Amino acid sequence: PMEYPGNGLGDYRESAVSIRTVGGHVGVQLNYVSHEIVKGKPALPGLPSTFPGEEDCDTLILHLEDQTTGLTAELIYTTFEKVDVITRSVILKNTTEQPIYLTKVMSACLDLDCTDEKYDILTLHGSWGRERQMERRSLMHGKQSVGSVRGESSHQEHPFIALLSENATQDTGEVYGMHFVYSGNFLAQAELSQFDSIRMTMGIHPENFVWKLEQGESFAAPEVVMTYSSEGLSGMTHHYHDMYREHLIRGEYRDKKRPILINNWEATYFDFNEDKIVSMANTAKELGIELFVLDDGWFGNRNNDHQGLGDWFPNLDKLPHGIRGLSKRIHDLGLKFGLWFEPEMVNEDSNLYRNHPEWILKTPHRKSCHGRNQYILDFSNHEVVEYIAQAMMNVIDDSYISYIKWDMNRCMSEVYSSTHDVSSQGRVMHEYILGVYHLYDVLTTKYPDILFESCASGGARFDPGMLYYAPQCWTSD
């Protein structure tokens, strides 16, 4: 059994970390140096993570080192005794003068000696409109995994895995669960060895991932939430629900009843004007609805899904008094007002694209796939994120907005950033997610009273990372 297995040095099971040195060496093994136990729980830089509450949390930090390569690690474990959960993450650091290239960073590894037990594996598979269907099967020899390389946690798989004793039911039997607080590419895996030991690993998917660490630089891996239940699936479920309600979801809507809302999209699509929206809001008010949400089509030259995306200023042909005027009319009716954004995307037919074609993710000399006729903005570029943040704040500051529906209607492909050099392209997909988190952090900090709802063409980015910022998720239409 190993807590954080290395690569290329005699352990043929799945590694938790792999590297490449400037000399081409790939072997790495991190060994124990020291440890410390601290009260509370340190935050992870730039990442969503669980936080301590009124109960005491204790954090164990194991300090490890590979003396040959100069790579060090902090393995971070926090115990939430009241909700029966342990969280795990890792921070890697280069202490040498030469760069080290990280080619795989798992956030957690769990080795189990189960020679006298038979286990099943539980995952959550799906597709648009039918996400997160439970799939249970016997754990056989070899590796069984789920993952995503779509740049999102995805409709198809969920960043979760559980081992169940063969006789486990909803209310009886043993369950070991792992859940990833992350919204991008992931890999969750269970491996049954020739000696019937089990290794569970979870972390960022290593495909297309290369992270160059210069001397003194660190890499913080996202958090894994682990729990054990001796009371079947219900026990595990209750642990996760209690954990996320008390230690992940933030803001007033963590415990507050959500408003009843109506969204105009299916009623009007792009064909609306101010009076039509107000007429719908009047009827909604009569029916006891509390919040009116204006969906796609309110901005730029947005009359269909081929144009306007990225131009976050009101379409005055449809809304002559802008979002400010419309939101005030809705507000005066006694309703709250919400607004749709898709901040990570852009149409080619838009002012934003014409002014900054270099701001999209696109592989040179290759045709780009499209979803809903849109490109993905390069959120690994901080300048792009800051531009979008300011554009959104200009609208929010000028209006009466209580709710934001944050949409994201396509997964990632042809991922190449024109603002990164050749050696940095392996960072782009993770830095993109960090950019999304940064934008969420800016907006939720400035507008703590706004209810943010996450939508990714429905439920393609429903994961603990999103719940940290948006306590409500839109399911598939």
Side-chain angles (χ1 to χ4, degrees):
M2 302 182 74
E3 275 303 289
Y4 203 67
N7 180 63
L9 297 174
D11 183 355
Y12 296 100
R13 295 168 294 175
E14 188 74 16
S15 63
V17 59
S18 62
I19 69 167
R20 187 180 74 250
T21 68
V22 290
H25 301 289
V26 297
V28 60
Q29 183 58 61
L30 293 154
N31 298 310
Y32 173 86
V33 175
S34 64
H35 72 274
E36 56 182 313
I37 297 175
V38 298
K39 287 292 182 182
K41 182 178 186 292
L44 289 173
L47 288 163
S49 60
T50 56
F51 50 81
E54 294 181 359
E55 69 176 86
D56 288 334
C57 290
D58 292 311
T59 297
L60 167 67
I61 304 175
L62 296 180
H63 299 279
L64 311 180
E65 181 181 11
D66 182 335
Q67 293 183 339
T68 301
T69 63
L71 185 69
T72 66
E74 292 181 356
L75 303 187
I76 305 168
Y77 309 70
T78 300
T79 57
F80 291 82
E81 186 173 355
K82 183 180 176 183
V83 291
D84 218 352
V85 158
I86 296 173
T87 64
R88 288 188 60 173
S89 57
V90 59
I91 298 177
L92 298 171
K93 184 175 182 179
N94 179 12
T95 64
T96 68
E97 296 180 359
Q98 297 293 324
I100 295 176
Y101 295 86
L102 304 176
T103 54
K104 180 201 292 184
V105 182
M106 294 290 105
S107 294
C109 174
L110 179 65
D111 277 355
L112 299 170
D113 185 2
C114 304
T115 53
D116 297 324
E117 298 283 346
K118 295 290 186 181
Y119 281 87
D120 292 343
I121 183 172
L122 178 70
T123 57
L124 301 174
H125 179 73
S127 184
W128 186 91
R130 53 188 185 278
E131 298 92 341
R132 282 164 289 286
Q133 305 297 310
M134 289 171 41
E135 291 198 340
R136 179 174 178 173
R137 55 202 181 275
S138 297
L139 182 66
M140 308 301 289
H141 288 98
K143 300 174 182 179
Q144 298 183 47
S145 67
V146 292
S148 173
V149 291
R150 298 168 179 262
E152 59 188 14
S153 42
S154 82
H155 296 285
Q156 288 71 27
E157 306 294 350
H158 188 70
F160 162 84
I161 194 172
L163 288 184
L164 289 62
S165 56
E166 195 174 34
N167 62 347
T169 67
Q170 191 67 29
D171 300 307
T172 63
E174 293 189 309
V175 180
Y176 296 87
M178 299 176 81
H179 205 188
F180 203 25
V181 187
Y182 190 61
S183 308
N185 293 349
F186 76 92
L187 179 66
Q189 183 167 277
E191 178 181 6
L192 181 62
S193 78
Q194 60 184 327
F195 303 112
D196 292 329
S197 64
I198 298 174
R199 172 169 289 177
M200 296 174 69
T201 53
M202 179 171 279
I204 295 173
H205 204 297
E207 186 169 321
N208 301 321
F209 174 85
V210 180
W211 196 277
K212 182 181 179 182
L213 282 182
E214 299 285 1
Q215 183 181 19
E217 289 185 341
S218 298
F219 179 85
E223 183 172 83
V224 170
V225 181
M226 303 169 55
T227 192
Y228 166 80
S229 167
S230 60
E231 299 174 337
L233 291 171
S234 287
M236 177 191 71
T237 300
H238 291 173
H239 293 170
Y240 278 122
H241 286 193
D242 292 343
M243 179 68 179
Y244 294 155
R245 287 192 187 105
E246 298 175 24
H247 301 287
L248 181 70
I249 297 172
R250 305 173 300 158
E252 64 174 293
Y253 284 98
R254 182 185 75 170
D255 306 306
K256 188 176 179 180
K257 197 170 184 178
R258 313 292 163 76
I260 301 169
L261 67 85
I262 186 169
N263 182 300
N264 72 296
W265 177 244
E266 304 265 347
T268 69
Y269 296 105
F270 296 104
D271 183 19
F272 61 83
N273 56 38
E274 184 175 304
D275 288 339
K276 182 184 285 190
I277 294 299
V278 173
S279 175
M280 291 178 64
N282 267 310
T283 306
K285 174 67 176 177
E286 294 171 2
L287 295 171
I289 291 169
E290 301 164 304
L291 169 66
F292 189 95
V293 181
L294 180 62
D295 209 278
D296 193 358
W298 60 265
F299 51 89
N301 187 28
R302 184 71 164 174
N303 298 307
N304 54 59
D305 62 12
H306 290 262
Q307 58 188 170
L309 195 59
D311 295 340
W312 300 113
F313 50 86
N315 183 324
L316 298 182
D317 292 333
K318 297 180 182 180
L319 307 172
H321 303 101
I323 295 300
R324 177 178 177 82
L326 173 63
S327 64
K328 186 178 187 306
R329 289 182 69 180
I330 301 294
H331 191 264
D332 289 345
L333 291 174
L335 292 173
K336 293 182 177 181
F337 179 77
L339 195 60
W340 180 95
F341 286 92
E342 192 169 7
E344 301 163 61
M345 304 293 163
V346 65
N347 287 132
E348 190 169 2
D349 183 3
S350 67
N351 292 341
L352 178 57
Y353 183 91
R354 284 185 284 271
N355 292 332
H356 292 285
E358 77 281 5
W359 278 7
I360 67 167
L361 293 173
K362 182 180 181 181
T363 303
H365 314 301
R366 288 196 179 276
K367 182 180 178 180
S368 291
C369 297
H370 284 260
R372 211 186 181 213
N373 307 299
Q374 58 198 41
Y375 288 110
I376 301 176
L377 287 171
D378 182 5
F379 266 43
S380 71
N381 180 350
H382 190 69
E383 184 181 4
V384 176
V385 177
E386 292 303 315
Y387 173 87
I388 294 296
Q390 189 58 58
M392 294 178 70
M393 290 188 290
N394 290 343
V395 176
I396 298 168
D397 288 342
D398 192 46
S399 308
Y400 300 83
I401 295 177
S402 301
Y403 164 101
I404 287 175
K405 179 182 176 183
W406 184 317
D407 213 339
M408 185 250 194
N409 276 306
R410 62 157 297 182
C411 49
M412 297 168 71
S413 61
E414 296 84 41
V415 178
Y416 184 93
S417 170
S418 64
T419 59
H420 285 59
D421 60 27
V422 173
S423 66
S424 300
Q425 293 300 323
R427 303 166 63 105
V428 172
M429 296 192 89
H430 179 58
E431 285 190 338
Y432 177 96
I433 295 298
L434 295 181
V436 172
Y437 289 154
H438 176 71
L439 181 56
Y440 258 116
D441 191 57
V442 168
L443 296 175
T444 56
T445 299
K446 185 173 182 180
Y447 309 107
D449 297 329
I450 290 180
L451 171 58
F452 284 80
E453 180 177 73
S454 169
C455 178
S457 188
R461 211 160 58 180
F462 169 66
D463 53 67
M466 282 290 109
L467 285 175
Y468 181 78
Y469 301 101
Q472 184 164 303
C473 287
W474 188 275
T475 58
S476 292
D477 299 346

